[in-house]
mmCIF file of all heavy atoms in Angstrom:
data_model
loop_
_atom_site.group_PDB
_atom_site.id
_atom_site.type_symbol
_atom_site.label_atom_id
_atom_site.label_comp_id
_atom_site.label_asym_id
_atom_site.label_seq_id
_atom_site.Cartn_x
_atom_site.Cartn_y
_atom_site.Cartn_z
ATOM 1 N N LYS A 1 37.940 85.249 -79.046
ATOM 2 C CA LYS A 1 38.754 86.443 -79.262
ATOM 3 C C LYS A 1 39.136 87.078 -77.932
ATOM 4 O O LYS A 1 40.276 87.525 -77.741
ATOM 5 C CB LYS A 1 37.992 87.448 -80.125
ATOM 6 C CG LYS A 1 38.758 88.734 -80.407
ATOM 7 C CD LYS A 1 37.920 89.680 -81.262
ATOM 8 C CE LYS A 1 38.671 90.991 -81.504
ATOM 9 N NZ LYS A 1 37.841 91.931 -82.307
ATOM 10 N N HIS A 2 38.179 87.111 -77.005
ATOM 11 C CA HIS A 2 38.455 87.686 -75.683
ATOM 12 C C HIS A 2 39.595 86.955 -74.993
ATOM 13 O O HIS A 2 40.484 87.583 -74.405
ATOM 14 C CB HIS A 2 37.200 87.623 -74.810
ATOM 15 C CG HIS A 2 37.473 87.852 -73.357
ATOM 16 N ND1 HIS A 2 37.804 89.090 -72.856
ATOM 17 C CD2 HIS A 2 37.489 87.006 -72.299
ATOM 18 C CE1 HIS A 2 38.014 88.994 -71.547
ATOM 19 N NE2 HIS A 2 37.828 87.743 -71.189
ATOM 20 N N MET A 3 39.595 85.630 -75.061
ATOM 21 C CA MET A 3 40.637 84.875 -74.369
ATOM 22 C C MET A 3 41.976 85.001 -75.080
ATOM 23 O O MET A 3 43.020 85.199 -74.438
ATOM 24 C CB MET A 3 40.237 83.397 -74.263
ATOM 25 C CG MET A 3 41.280 82.535 -73.569
ATOM 26 S SD MET A 3 41.743 83.110 -71.926
ATOM 27 C CE MET A 3 40.287 82.624 -70.982
ATOM 28 N N VAL A 4 41.990 84.914 -76.392
ATOM 29 C CA VAL A 4 43.249 84.959 -77.139
ATOM 30 C C VAL A 4 43.924 86.317 -76.982
ATOM 31 O O VAL A 4 45.159 86.412 -76.953
ATOM 32 C CB VAL A 4 43.003 84.635 -78.629
ATOM 33 C CG1 VAL A 4 44.247 84.902 -79.456
ATOM 34 C CG2 VAL A 4 42.582 83.173 -78.784
ATOM 35 N N THR A 5 43.140 87.398 -76.891
ATOM 36 C CA THR A 5 43.705 88.747 -76.750
ATOM 37 C C THR A 5 43.707 89.221 -75.302
ATOM 38 O O THR A 5 44.096 90.356 -75.029
ATOM 39 C CB THR A 5 42.913 89.754 -77.607
ATOM 40 O OG1 THR A 5 41.535 89.779 -77.179
ATOM 41 C CG2 THR A 5 42.976 89.384 -79.079
ATOM 42 N N GLY A 6 43.270 88.378 -74.374
ATOM 43 C CA GLY A 6 43.184 88.773 -72.970
ATOM 44 C C GLY A 6 44.528 88.636 -72.287
ATOM 45 O O GLY A 6 44.867 87.573 -71.749
ATOM 46 N N TYR A 7 45.329 89.700 -72.309
ATOM 47 C CA TYR A 7 46.679 89.652 -71.762
ATOM 48 C C TYR A 7 46.695 89.255 -70.290
ATOM 49 O O TYR A 7 47.614 88.574 -69.834
ATOM 50 C CB TYR A 7 47.363 91.012 -71.938
ATOM 51 C CG TYR A 7 46.546 92.159 -71.393
ATOM 52 C CD1 TYR A 7 46.660 92.556 -70.067
ATOM 53 C CD2 TYR A 7 45.641 92.829 -72.215
ATOM 54 C CE1 TYR A 7 45.898 93.581 -69.561
ATOM 55 C CE2 TYR A 7 44.875 93.857 -71.716
ATOM 56 C CZ TYR A 7 44.999 94.236 -70.387
ATOM 57 O OH TYR A 7 44.224 95.247 -69.876
ATOM 58 N N ASP A 8 45.684 89.679 -69.517
ATOM 59 C CA ASP A 8 45.667 89.342 -68.095
ATOM 60 C C ASP A 8 45.467 87.840 -67.895
ATOM 61 O O ASP A 8 46.142 87.206 -67.074
ATOM 62 C CB ASP A 8 44.590 90.138 -67.346
ATOM 63 C CG ASP A 8 43.232 90.095 -68.046
ATOM 64 O OD1 ASP A 8 43.118 89.488 -69.136
ATOM 65 O OD2 ASP A 8 42.272 90.678 -67.498
ATOM 66 N N HIS A 9 44.545 87.249 -68.663
ATOM 67 C CA HIS A 9 44.336 85.800 -68.597
ATOM 68 C C HIS A 9 45.597 85.043 -69.000
ATOM 69 O O HIS A 9 46.002 84.073 -68.346
ATOM 70 C CB HIS A 9 43.193 85.368 -69.519
ATOM 71 C CG HIS A 9 41.865 85.969 -69.174
ATOM 72 N ND1 HIS A 9 41.351 85.972 -67.908
ATOM 73 C CD2 HIS A 9 40.943 86.580 -69.952
ATOM 74 C CE1 HIS A 9 40.165 86.570 -67.905
ATOM 75 N NE2 HIS A 9 39.905 86.938 -69.139
ATOM 76 N N LEU A 10 46.204 85.488 -70.102
ATOM 77 C CA LEU A 10 47.356 84.768 -70.640
ATOM 78 C C LEU A 10 48.550 84.847 -69.701
ATOM 79 O O LEU A 10 49.293 83.864 -69.539
ATOM 80 C CB LEU A 10 47.724 85.329 -72.022
ATOM 81 C CG LEU A 10 46.642 85.173 -73.103
ATOM 82 C CD1 LEU A 10 47.134 85.745 -74.428
ATOM 83 C CD2 LEU A 10 46.247 83.711 -73.269
ATOM 84 N N LEU A 11 48.762 85.994 -69.084
ATOM 85 C CA LEU A 11 49.856 86.121 -68.132
ATOM 86 C C LEU A 11 49.649 85.191 -66.941
ATOM 87 O O LEU A 11 50.585 84.538 -66.470
ATOM 88 C CB LEU A 11 49.986 87.569 -67.656
ATOM 89 C CG LEU A 11 50.587 88.560 -68.655
ATOM 90 C CD1 LEU A 11 50.476 89.986 -68.110
ATOM 91 C CD2 LEU A 11 52.031 88.230 -68.978
ATOM 92 N N PHE A 12 48.410 85.129 -66.448
ATOM 93 C CA PHE A 12 48.125 84.254 -65.318
ATOM 94 C C PHE A 12 48.327 82.789 -65.705
ATOM 95 O O PHE A 12 48.965 82.019 -64.968
ATOM 96 C CB PHE A 12 46.703 84.477 -64.828
ATOM 97 C CG PHE A 12 46.335 83.637 -63.628
ATOM 98 C CD1 PHE A 12 46.873 83.910 -62.380
ATOM 99 C CD2 PHE A 12 45.448 82.571 -63.749
ATOM 100 C CE1 PHE A 12 46.552 83.131 -61.272
ATOM 101 C CE2 PHE A 12 45.115 81.799 -62.656
ATOM 102 C CZ PHE A 12 45.666 82.078 -61.408
ATOM 103 N N LEU A 13 47.806 82.395 -66.862
ATOM 104 C CA LEU A 13 47.955 81.009 -67.298
ATOM 105 C C LEU A 13 49.423 80.661 -67.557
ATOM 106 O O LEU A 13 49.864 79.539 -67.284
ATOM 107 C CB LEU A 13 47.125 80.765 -68.564
ATOM 108 C CG LEU A 13 45.606 80.705 -68.359
ATOM 109 C CD1 LEU A 13 44.888 80.595 -69.699
ATOM 110 C CD2 LEU A 13 45.224 79.537 -67.464
ATOM 111 N N PHE A 14 50.176 81.617 -68.075
ATOM 112 C CA PHE A 14 51.608 81.411 -68.276
ATOM 113 C C PHE A 14 52.280 81.074 -66.949
ATOM 114 O O PHE A 14 53.096 80.150 -66.859
ATOM 115 C CB PHE A 14 52.231 82.667 -68.887
ATOM 116 C CG PHE A 14 53.739 82.640 -68.946
ATOM 117 C CD1 PHE A 14 54.402 81.845 -69.863
ATOM 118 C CD2 PHE A 14 54.489 83.437 -68.084
ATOM 119 C CE1 PHE A 14 55.795 81.823 -69.913
ATOM 120 C CE2 PHE A 14 55.874 83.418 -68.134
ATOM 121 C CZ PHE A 14 56.526 82.619 -69.045
ATOM 122 N N GLY A 15 51.897 81.810 -65.904
ATOM 123 C CA GLY A 15 52.449 81.534 -64.583
ATOM 124 C C GLY A 15 52.000 80.190 -64.039
ATOM 125 O O GLY A 15 52.783 79.466 -63.421
ATOM 126 N N VAL A 16 50.736 79.853 -64.288
ATOM 127 C CA VAL A 16 50.185 78.594 -63.767
ATOM 128 C C VAL A 16 50.917 77.394 -64.335
ATOM 129 O O VAL A 16 51.240 76.441 -63.616
ATOM 130 C CB VAL A 16 48.674 78.506 -64.065
ATOM 131 C CG1 VAL A 16 48.149 77.087 -63.820
ATOM 132 C CG2 VAL A 16 47.895 79.497 -63.199
ATOM 133 N N ILE A 17 51.192 77.402 -65.627
ATOM 134 C CA ILE A 17 51.783 76.219 -66.262
ATOM 135 C C ILE A 17 53.314 76.268 -66.287
ATOM 136 O O ILE A 17 53.935 75.341 -66.800
ATOM 137 C CB ILE A 17 51.264 76.044 -67.708
ATOM 138 C CG1 ILE A 17 51.820 77.148 -68.610
ATOM 139 C CG2 ILE A 17 49.749 76.002 -67.732
ATOM 140 C CD1 ILE A 17 51.572 76.908 -70.076
ATOM 141 N N PHE A 18 53.907 77.308 -65.717
ATOM 142 C CA PHE A 18 55.347 77.507 -65.856
ATOM 143 C C PHE A 18 56.145 76.283 -65.411
ATOM 144 O O PHE A 18 57.093 75.869 -66.073
ATOM 145 C CB PHE A 18 55.786 78.732 -65.055
ATOM 146 C CG PHE A 18 57.160 79.216 -65.410
ATOM 147 C CD1 PHE A 18 57.349 80.116 -66.439
ATOM 148 C CD2 PHE A 18 58.277 78.762 -64.724
ATOM 149 C CE1 PHE A 18 58.623 80.554 -66.796
ATOM 150 C CE2 PHE A 18 59.550 79.192 -65.063
ATOM 151 C CZ PHE A 18 59.729 80.088 -66.097
ATOM 152 N N PHE A 19 55.778 75.702 -64.270
ATOM 153 C CA PHE A 19 56.502 74.538 -63.760
ATOM 154 C C PHE A 19 55.668 73.261 -63.828
ATOM 155 O O PHE A 19 55.936 72.302 -63.093
ATOM 156 C CB PHE A 19 56.954 74.787 -62.320
ATOM 157 C CG PHE A 19 58.109 75.744 -62.204
ATOM 158 C CD1 PHE A 19 57.986 76.905 -61.460
ATOM 159 C CD2 PHE A 19 59.311 75.487 -62.853
ATOM 160 C CE1 PHE A 19 59.044 77.789 -61.357
ATOM 161 C CE2 PHE A 19 60.382 76.363 -62.751
ATOM 162 C CZ PHE A 19 60.251 77.527 -61.993
ATOM 163 N N LEU A 20 54.640 73.244 -64.694
ATOM 164 C CA LEU A 20 53.848 72.033 -64.883
ATOM 165 C C LEU A 20 54.345 71.321 -66.138
ATOM 166 O O LEU A 20 54.428 71.910 -67.206
ATOM 167 C CB LEU A 20 52.361 72.368 -65.029
ATOM 168 C CG LEU A 20 51.684 72.999 -63.805
ATOM 169 C CD1 LEU A 20 50.219 73.295 -64.122
ATOM 170 C CD2 LEU A 20 51.777 72.087 -62.587
ATOM 171 N N TYR A 21 54.659 70.030 -66.007
ATOM 172 C CA TYR A 21 55.239 69.285 -67.115
ATOM 173 C C TYR A 21 54.297 68.219 -67.670
ATOM 174 O O TYR A 21 54.394 67.871 -68.845
ATOM 175 C CB TYR A 21 56.549 68.622 -66.676
ATOM 176 C CG TYR A 21 57.647 69.622 -66.374
ATOM 177 C CD1 TYR A 21 57.752 70.196 -65.120
ATOM 178 C CD2 TYR A 21 58.554 69.994 -67.356
ATOM 179 C CE1 TYR A 21 58.755 71.119 -64.839
ATOM 180 C CE2 TYR A 21 59.570 70.908 -67.093
ATOM 181 C CZ TYR A 21 59.657 71.474 -65.831
ATOM 182 O OH TYR A 21 60.642 72.392 -65.554
ATOM 183 N N ARG A 22 53.398 67.705 -66.849
ATOM 184 C CA ARG A 22 52.499 66.650 -67.305
ATOM 185 C C ARG A 22 51.171 67.247 -67.777
ATOM 186 O O ARG A 22 50.610 68.132 -67.135
ATOM 187 C CB ARG A 22 52.248 65.643 -66.184
ATOM 188 C CG ARG A 22 53.506 64.878 -65.756
ATOM 189 C CD ARG A 22 53.173 63.793 -64.770
ATOM 190 N NE ARG A 22 54.354 63.005 -64.390
ATOM 191 C CZ ARG A 22 54.321 61.968 -63.566
ATOM 192 N NH1 ARG A 22 53.156 61.591 -63.016
ATOM 193 N NH2 ARG A 22 55.430 61.331 -63.274
ATOM 194 N N LEU A 23 50.680 66.702 -68.882
ATOM 195 C CA LEU A 23 49.448 67.232 -69.461
ATOM 196 C C LEU A 23 48.260 67.103 -68.515
ATOM 197 O O LEU A 23 47.394 67.966 -68.479
ATOM 198 C CB LEU A 23 49.147 66.517 -70.782
ATOM 199 C CG LEU A 23 50.022 66.915 -71.977
ATOM 200 C CD1 LEU A 23 49.637 66.104 -73.200
ATOM 201 C CD2 LEU A 23 49.891 68.407 -72.266
ATOM 202 N N LYS A 24 48.227 66.026 -67.713
ATOM 203 C CA LYS A 24 47.093 65.852 -66.808
ATOM 204 C C LYS A 24 47.095 66.913 -65.717
ATOM 205 O O LYS A 24 46.024 67.359 -65.277
ATOM 206 C CB LYS A 24 47.097 64.450 -66.198
ATOM 207 C CG LYS A 24 48.261 64.147 -65.258
ATOM 208 C CD LYS A 24 48.103 62.758 -64.647
ATOM 209 C CE LYS A 24 49.216 62.435 -63.648
ATOM 210 N NZ LYS A 24 49.025 61.090 -63.048
ATOM 211 N N HIS A 25 48.280 67.347 -65.298
ATOM 212 C CA HIS A 25 48.365 68.417 -64.307
ATOM 213 C C HIS A 25 47.948 69.749 -64.926
ATOM 214 O O HIS A 25 47.230 70.539 -64.306
ATOM 215 C CB HIS A 25 49.786 68.510 -63.748
ATOM 216 C CG HIS A 25 50.191 67.311 -62.966
ATOM 217 N ND1 HIS A 25 51.515 66.966 -62.763
ATOM 218 C CD2 HIS A 25 49.462 66.350 -62.341
ATOM 219 C CE1 HIS A 25 51.579 65.873 -62.036
ATOM 220 N NE2 HIS A 25 50.341 65.465 -61.781
ATOM 221 N N ILE A 26 48.404 69.993 -66.137
ATOM 222 C CA ILE A 26 48.027 71.213 -66.844
ATOM 223 C C ILE A 26 46.516 71.261 -67.041
ATOM 224 O O ILE A 26 45.869 72.290 -66.814
ATOM 225 C CB ILE A 26 48.748 71.295 -68.199
ATOM 226 C CG1 ILE A 26 50.256 71.457 -67.985
ATOM 227 C CG2 ILE A 26 48.204 72.447 -69.038
ATOM 228 C CD1 ILE A 26 51.080 71.348 -69.241
ATOM 229 N N ALA A 27 45.938 70.126 -67.442
ATOM 230 C CA ALA A 27 44.492 70.052 -67.664
ATOM 231 C C ALA A 27 43.722 70.330 -66.381
ATOM 232 O O ALA A 27 42.684 71.015 -66.399
ATOM 233 C CB ALA A 27 44.116 68.674 -68.210
ATOM 234 N N THR A 28 44.219 69.830 -65.250
ATOM 235 C CA THR A 28 43.540 70.049 -63.972
ATOM 236 C C THR A 28 43.483 71.531 -63.629
ATOM 237 O O THR A 28 42.421 72.071 -63.292
ATOM 238 C CB THR A 28 44.271 69.294 -62.845
ATOM 239 O OG1 THR A 28 44.209 67.895 -63.105
ATOM 240 C CG2 THR A 28 43.627 69.588 -61.490
ATOM 241 N N TYR A 29 44.609 72.213 -63.728
ATOM 242 C CA TYR A 29 44.663 73.628 -63.356
ATOM 243 C C TYR A 29 43.882 74.500 -64.334
ATOM 244 O O TYR A 29 43.182 75.434 -63.931
ATOM 245 C CB TYR A 29 46.118 74.095 -63.267
ATOM 246 C CG TYR A 29 46.791 73.701 -61.982
ATOM 247 C CD1 TYR A 29 47.460 72.478 -61.868
ATOM 248 C CD2 TYR A 29 46.751 74.525 -60.871
ATOM 249 C CE1 TYR A 29 48.071 72.102 -60.682
ATOM 250 C CE2 TYR A 29 47.370 74.159 -59.678
ATOM 251 C CZ TYR A 29 48.011 72.949 -59.591
ATOM 252 O OH TYR A 29 48.615 72.581 -58.416
ATOM 253 N N VAL A 30 44.002 74.201 -65.620
ATOM 254 C CA VAL A 30 43.273 74.988 -66.615
ATOM 255 C C VAL A 30 41.764 74.791 -66.451
ATOM 256 O O VAL A 30 40.982 75.728 -66.602
ATOM 257 C CB VAL A 30 43.728 74.599 -68.035
ATOM 258 C CG1 VAL A 30 42.840 75.246 -69.088
ATOM 259 C CG2 VAL A 30 45.183 75.015 -68.248
#
């Protein structure tokens, strides 16, 4: 619940994956 409603986390992750297209790259950063 904390992560799903954590706007600060979600905004940061949104920025992190914005220009990531491959799942392996997304998995690495996450």
